[in-house]
Amino acid sequence: SYSALQGQDGDEPTLPAGQKFPIELLEKSQIEDDDVEEERQACINPRGDSDIEMTNRSSYIAPSKHAVYAQGIHQEYPPSGKQRFKGTTAVHDFTLRIRHKEFMSLLGSNGAGKTTIMNILLKQLEATSGNVSINGEDIYNLSDKTLRSCSYCPQQNALFDNLTAMECLQFYALVRGCNNTMLNKFCDEWVKACDLVEHVNTRCCELSGGNKRKLSLAVSLIGNPSFIVLDEPSAGVDPP
C-alpha cells in the first residue's frame, strides 16, 4: 500500500506535535501502468482460464514457451538488529515473464531487491512465497539438462587471484565440459569478444576492476548457456 499526502500550495504539510496525517491507501490499479497490470494478470493466469487463482506450487503450470516464469514472489527476512517483531520485506508481489532469446533488465535503486530476485531465480535463496519456473520446470525440481544450461555472473568477481586471465577462462571452460582439443581456440574467441587480448597473461589479482568484470562476463558466457543471470556486469567498465 502507498500513502498520498498533499499540502496546500505545494508546501510540506504540517500538523501539531503528536498528531498524524490521514493516510489514503491506493490500490495497485491506481499506481501501475496498464501494460504492467496486463502482464501481472497474464502471469497469474498463464493458460487464459477464468476464475483461476494459483496459491501453491502444486497447482502452478508454466507455459514451456517461457524461459523464466515468476508469479507473486515475496521475500521477507526475519527481524534483526533493533527489529523486534517485523522483519524486512525485500521483494513484494514480483511477477515476471521472460521469453526465449529475450533480454530482460531489472532497474531499481540500491536495496530495491534486484539481487534478491536473482538469487531466487538461481536457487540461492528460497522465496517466502510465490512460484518460479525455468524452461517450464518448477525451480525446485529442475532437470540436470536445465541446470547445466544456467549460468551466473555474480556482483562479486568469482576469480582466482593467482591464475592469469587465460588460465581462469580455461579452468571454467574445462568445468563446463569443453573438449581439450578446442580449449585454446574456444578461450581465444571469448578473450577477443570481451576485449581482454592485452591482459591474457595478467594475473587476476592484478587486473583493474573493469577488466575483472569483463573476465567474469566471459566466464559466465562459456558453454553457451541458455539462461544467464548477470548482476551488474558492466560496473566499472569503460564505455567502448
Side-chain angles (χ1 to χ4, degrees):
S1 57
Y2 299 77
S3 61
L5 302 175
Q6 184 176 2
Q8 295 181 352
D9 300 327
D11 296 333
E12 287 291 329
T14 58
L15 283 179
Q19 295 187 23
K20 296 182 179 180
F21 289 103
I23 296 179
E24 177 186 354
L25 299 181
L26 303 181
E27 299 295 333
K28 287 181 181 177
S29 59
Q30 299 175 268
I31 301 169
E32 294 182 338
D33 293 335
D34 292 340
D35 57 342
V36 175
E37 178 62 20
E38 182 180 346
E39 183 73 6
R40 183 185 302 280
Q41 292 303 319
C43 289
I44 293 175
N45 186 2
R47 293 173 294 185
D49 300 333
S50 59
D51 301 326
I52 286 185
E53 182 178 359
M54 299 181 188
T55 57
N56 57 65
R57 192 168 291 127
S58 62
S59 64
Y60 179 68
I61 302 175
S64 59
K65 67 179 181 180
H66 293 103
V68 179
Y69 205 96
Q71 184 257 321
I73 300 302
H74 182 86
Q75 178 61 40
E76 185 169 332
Y77 294 104
S80 62
K82 295 182 179 181
Q83 297 174 330
R84 297 185 59 188
F85 304 107
K86 187 176 181 180
T88 300
T89 299
V91 178
H92 176 67
D93 196 17
F94 179 80
T95 298
L96 173 73
R97 290 187 300 176
I98 303 178
R99 297 161 182 82
H100 292 281
K101 299 182 180 181
E102 184 176 65
F103 182 88
M104 170 67 69
S105 179
L106 293 177
L107 303 177
S109 59
N110 292 338
K114 302 184 297 296
T115 298
T116 298
I117 291 170
M118 293 180 187
N119 287 334
I120 292 173
L121 295 179
L122 291 163
K123 293 182 64 177
Q124 301 298 308
L125 180 67
E126 183 173 358
T128 306
S129 62
N131 300 291
V132 181
S133 74
I134 306 293
N135 291 332
E137 300 177 11
D138 183 88
I139 194 169
Y140 298 106
N141 294 285
L142 296 178
S143 64
D144 290 341
K145 179 181 179 181
T146 298
L147 286 172
R148 286 194 295 267
S149 69
C150 299
S151 187
Y152 180 41
C153 178
Q155 194 172 18
Q156 302 296 327
N157 299 311
L159 307 174
F160 299 99
D161 287 344
N162 292 324
L163 295 184
T164 66
M166 178 60 76
E167 290 171 343
C168 193
L169 271 178
Q170 291 174 340
F171 171 81
Y172 281 109
L174 290 172
V175 171
R176 276 288 191 177
C178 180
N179 192 306
N180 281 318
T181 59
M182 297 292 294
L183 183 63
N184 290 332
K185 179 181 179 181
F186 188 76
C187 291
D188 284 340
E189 291 178 353
W190 282 116
V191 163
K192 294 177 182 178
C194 293
D195 194 22
L196 289 169
V197 175
E198 298 179 0
H199 308 284
V200 290
N201 295 318
T202 303
R203 292 198 305 167
C204 292
C205 62
E206 298 172 350
L207 292 172
S208 65
N211 286 325
K212 286 181 179 179
R213 294 308 292 160
K214 291 179 182 179
L215 182 56
S216 294
L217 176 61
V219 166
S220 67
L221 296 173
I222 285 178
N224 296 323
S226 61
F227 173 54
I228 312 174
V229 176
L230 308 176
D231 195 351
E232 298 189 12
S234 61
V237 178
D238 294 331

